[in-house]
Amino acid sequence: MTTEAPISLLIVDDHPVVRDGLRGMFASAPGFTVLGEAASGVEALERAAALDPDVILMDLRMPAGGGVAAIAELTRRRARAKVLVLTTYDTDSDTLPAIEAGATGYLLKDAPRDELFSAVRAAAQGRTVLSPAIASRLVSAVRAPRAPGNEPLSPREREVLGLVAKGTSNREIARELFISEATVKTHLTHLYAKLGAKDRAAAVAVAYERGILG
Amino acid sequence: MTTEAPISLLIVDDHPVVRDGLRGMFASAPGFTVLGEAASGVEALERAAALDPDVILMDLRMPAGGGVAAIAELTRRRARAKVLVLTTYDTDSDTLPAIEAGATGYLLKDAPRDELFSAVRAAAQGRTVLSPAIASRLVSAVRAPRAPGNEPLSPREREVLGLVAKGTSNREIARELFISEATVKTHLTHLYAKLGAKDRAAAVAVAYERGILG
DNA sequence: TCCGGCATCGGCCGATCGGTTGATGCGGGG
DNA sequence: CCCCGCATCAACCGATCGGCCGATGCCGGA
């Protein structure tokens, strides 16, 4: 447990407040050095190349240059830096893409300081760190080996989805299709899982992306 | 008020039950003759050409051949028949399109018999008949002379919409954008109006249709 | 024959949504 | 200077949603 060379960091977040908070947090803790900051994915790539940090703390969901794309690019470049995703919500739809892209860990911003520190140390060593919520999501994703979204929808599910896209409520869909509201909800639950969507709005979006609708 | 020649009808609905119900209703009432039925928009066009009815009772939302398209085609052909839309819900997103396409009236299926009869008589004379709910919607649509959907979204509204399409909840959007949940709801209400959408799912669908998303 | 997908249904619950009303401040165009 | 669009916020409420449990029946492939 002796103090070795400090772990060098690059902080990537579009919110200055968050960047300052992280910088301060790591500045006051021993064993870390914040090399620099970036406010977007593209900027992160530049800074990473220039500063060569051990660990990159990266937010997803940034206006200019998505975090996932940046991670993928770092992986492609075989960058030495380990990427630790630091996001706000476990509901983030980019969770799986980020990990697929090569993120070493995935933490929620509300994680306690110590957890964050140990996560960074773990990431520096190449070990994977996941928030409990993320972890449980991952296992279920792994348990279903299919690509999380390529599962085909059943005819009935497509029918329900089409009505959803028109703004039809569950009750209306039920009457429209001569089935009960419970059945509509069942179809919805199933197609949420198949599409990897969190709610009806996201389901519609995914459906359009995949060409199922429109 | 003397009984003239009976009003001839064509019934268009994909549900046999509904067709039977309407047929029986008009068969037992004096002054009406049901010439035939159709189960889709395309079939309606054929039958209308062959039977030359005075009034067409048309459901929207049919699997094969949408009702709105059929109405538009009848209008284009300068068909003699008046189209009376008979739909199930006033929330139907096709309300305005149907009227624009040339529908003479728009009734809800739960209208009382007598209201239906007088509506058909009115339609036969070319008079417009609207359900109260539809009527109120129309005035608000007219009050806003712009095309009901071409209103551009403000930058903030697009931002909110983008997050909605990712399945983000209002509360999450609020934190993400550093605003209150109330403000998020305000933006949503506004963009629903601008897009002519009933809820977030429909808003996402419209946005994809218009190329605002995707 | 048994398993799995599909479609159907029920009940319960907390969380979320959408509508309503009303208000403030800012900036630009008439 | 006033009006309007935009962005911000509040409080309330009923309706709706989504998750969770479980259950039945049909059919087709292994």
Side-chain angles (χ1 to χ4, degrees), chain B residues 37-79:
Chain B
E37 305 176 357
S40 72
V42 261
E43 195 182 339
L45 291 174
E46 299 172 10
R47 310 249 68 191
L51 302 172
D52 189 38
D54 297 320
V55 174
I56 302 178
L57 291 177
M58 171 111 54
D59 187 25
L60 302 179
R61 289 201 188 180
M62 290 174 292
V68 176
I71 297 174
E73 177 61 16
L74 284 169
T75 303
R76 202 189 61 77
R77 293 184 185 174
R78 292 185 173 70

Side-chain angles (χ1 to χ4, degrees), chain A residues 42-104:
Chain A
V42 261
E43 196 183 337
L45 290 174
E46 298 172 10
R47 310 249 70 192
L51 302 172
D52 189 37
D54 297 320
V55 174
I56 303 179
L57 291 176
M58 170 111 56
D59 187 26
L60 302 179
R61 288 202 187 180
M62 289 174 293
V68 176
I71 298 174
E73 177 60 16
L74 285 169
T75 303
R76 201 189 63 76
R77 293 184 186 174
R78 290 184 176 71
R80 194 182 62 81
K82 303 289 188 300
V83 176
L84 185 57
V85 172
L86 242 194
T87 196
T88 313
Y89 306 105
D90 62 335
T91 59
D92 204 319
S93 63
D94 297 316
T95 308
L96 286 174
I99 294 177
E100 287 170 13
T104 296

